[in-house]
Amino acid sequence: MSIRTILEIDGRQGEGGGQILRSSLTLSAATGRPFRIRHIRGGRRKSGLLRQHLTAARAAARVCDARLEGDVLGSTELTFEPQSCQAGHYELQVGSAGSCLLVLQTVLPILIRLESPSTLSLEGGTHNPSAPPFESIVESLIPVLSSAGAKISLSLERPGFFPAGGGRVSVSIDPASAPRPIDLLERGSQLSQDACIAIAHIGDHVAEREWNVVRKELGWSDSALRVHRFESSLGPGNALSLILRHEHVTEVVSAIGTRHVSAERVAHQAVDQARRYLAASAPVGEHLADQLMLPLALLAGGRFRTLSPSLHTRTNAMVIEGFLGEGRIRIEDEPGDACRIEVEGI
């Protein structure tokens, strides 16, 4: 057992989901501080490690040569003792429709801080109901991280829809040689909007029905429609992403088609999210705020305005401060449905 003090983490705290584990893995690898987490996903109906969480733990362990205990499906306790982190090529397979992009978000903040480039080949879900889809990562998160000094490129080789999974994403990461703080307090002028509809092994009428709702409810012209038909997908699937591009930031809101849910309902889910964002003044959406805090804390920090923070966001801030010290994340409520988040980088 290492003589380093092990940080004890309760997986039931806050929103009690998998983000507590993923953030802990990232922060432990980056700081060298070991941790033990009990009651993994204790706030969920079915607690314990699912395949995507297990893959994330093993991926982080490979990157930093960590000693793992408890890394089995269904485990509610895990111990992680990191050593030195190494750049390289990593092939990471979820082995189910679980999100490979959540696995990416676990190892990405570690790899962008290293002195040598890395490449990743990820397999699993790319369009999941409970995780950011590929379009959100590539259109919204990566450009902001680029502003912070990271150099990342992603390509979707094959989509992975629930429940078949089997998606494949390639990632190239160059060192963030000169990290800089970000300042995202305003959106700037609106530049464009796109409705990207992904369909695989289902009729075109699904895309047509979703687009009819978007066009009617948001008043967008037909030039905004982008339909992507994926014949390479291992199973049927559908995802609708509304991409709202502004001068300083791009927001992506998404809805995933599932069995027994009509195309119209899927479209209304995305439209409702888009309306909430457009009606607010904050440039950073709720999900992007979640995704930004940890990599900014491990780079040069920054500040941004976002919608009122969710319990998920506040829990993530709590985990970050558990590893890096109190006061690293400052959340200040603003009038209306907004707040300002300031992140102190290391």
Side-chain angles (χ1 to χ4, degrees):
M1 181 68 69
S2 170
I3 63 173
R4 293 172 293 174
T5 302
I6 292 183
L7 180 63
E8 298 285 348
I9 297 173
D10 188 342
R12 299 171 297 186
Q13 65 182 309
E15 56 91 29
Q19 184 64 56
I20 297 173
L21 171 64
R22 289 191 298 271
S23 293
S24 297
L25 291 165
T26 305
L27 290 158
S28 178
T31 63
R33 184 172 185 183
F35 74 93
R36 179 185 298 111
I37 181 171
R38 294 186 171 94
H39 309 294
I40 295 171
R41 300 177 64 250
R44 297 293 184 258
R45 182 177 58 85
K46 183 179 180 181
S47 62
L49 292 174
L50 299 179
R51 286 195 179 277
Q52 68 179 12
H53 310 109
L54 184 59
T55 304
R58 291 174 175 172
R62 286 179 59 191
V63 169
C64 66
D65 193 25
R67 187 181 74 87
L68 268 177
E69 286 184 4
D71 55 325
V72 294
L73 283 175
S75 174
T76 58
E77 182 174 323
L78 184 137
T79 300
F80 186 89
E81 294 191 56
Q83 303 300 320
S84 61
C85 296
Q86 299 292 330
H89 174 71
Y90 296 96
E91 296 187 2
L92 309 174
Q93 300 177 340
V94 176
S96 71
S99 175
C100 66
L101 297 173
L102 290 179
V103 175
L104 170 63
Q105 290 185 54
T106 303
V107 299
L108 183 61
I110 307 168
L111 296 174
I112 59 178
R113 301 176 70 250
L114 302 182
E115 296 181 355
S116 300
S118 295
T119 56
L120 303 172
S121 178
L122 300 138
E123 291 191 8
T126 62
H127 294 79
N128 303 61
S130 57
F134 177 83
E135 291 80 7
S136 176
I137 301 298
V138 74
E139 293 278 359
S140 188
L141 175 63
I142 297 305
V144 179
L145 294 184
S146 296
S147 299
K151 302 171 184 177
I152 309 159
S153 63
L154 275 75
S155 63
L156 180 63
E157 298 184 7
R158 184 173 65 208
F161 296 98
F162 182 85
R168 185 182 298 121
V169 175
S170 294
V171 187
S172 175
I173 304 163
D174 287 327
S177 55
R180 48 191 178 269
I182 69 158
D183 196 283
L184 261 180
L185 301 181
E186 303 294 337
R187 296 177 187 174
S189 58
Q190 185 169 357
L191 303 178
S192 64
Q193 62 267 329
D194 288 331
C196 293
I197 303 177
I199 56 173
H201 309 305
I202 59 175
D204 285 353
H205 66 91
V206 173
E208 293 170 2
R209 290 160 57 195
E210 290 176 348
W211 171 239
N212 285 338
V213 172
V214 173
R215 179 173 53 187
K216 177 182 178 181
E217 297 295 328
L218 297 180
W220 290 5
S221 68
D222 287 338
S223 62
L225 176 62
R226 307 282 185 272
V227 178
H228 302 287
R229 299 172 179 84
F230 291 104
E231 298 301 326
S232 62
S233 173
L234 298 187
N238 164 237
L240 168 61
S241 295
L242 304 181
I243 303 174
L244 310 169
R245 295 186 180 88
H246 291 77
E247 186 178 357
H248 304 306
V249 68
T250 296
E251 172 67 359
V252 178
V253 298
S254 301
I256 308 298
T258 56
R259 193 175 183 184
H260 305 309
V261 177
S262 70
E264 288 77 14
R265 184 177 174 186
V266 171
H268 278 293
Q269 290 173 358
V271 165
D272 289 346
Q273 294 178 68
R275 281 177 167 162
R276 183 187 177 209
Y277 176 78
L278 292 170
S281 62
V284 175
E286 176 183 314
H287 299 302
L288 180 59
D290 270 349
Q291 297 165 22
L292 281 179
M293 286 193 300
L294 199 157
L296 292 184
L298 295 178
L299 292 173
R303 59 180 184 163
F304 56 88
R305 292 179 62 246
T306 183
L307 305 178
S308 290
S310 64
L311 180 58
H312 198 278
T313 298
R314 293 189 182 277
T315 304
N316 204 17
M318 185 168 29
V319 174
I320 293 170
E321 291 190 328
F323 279 89
L324 301 183
E326 293 185 8
R328 290 281 181 173
I329 311 289
R330 293 177 291 279
I331 302 177
E332 298 179 3
D333 293 329
E334 294 187 344
D337 190 18
C339 74
R340 179 181 299 209
I341 298 179
E342 296 191 12
V343 181
E344 181 179 343
I346 64 173

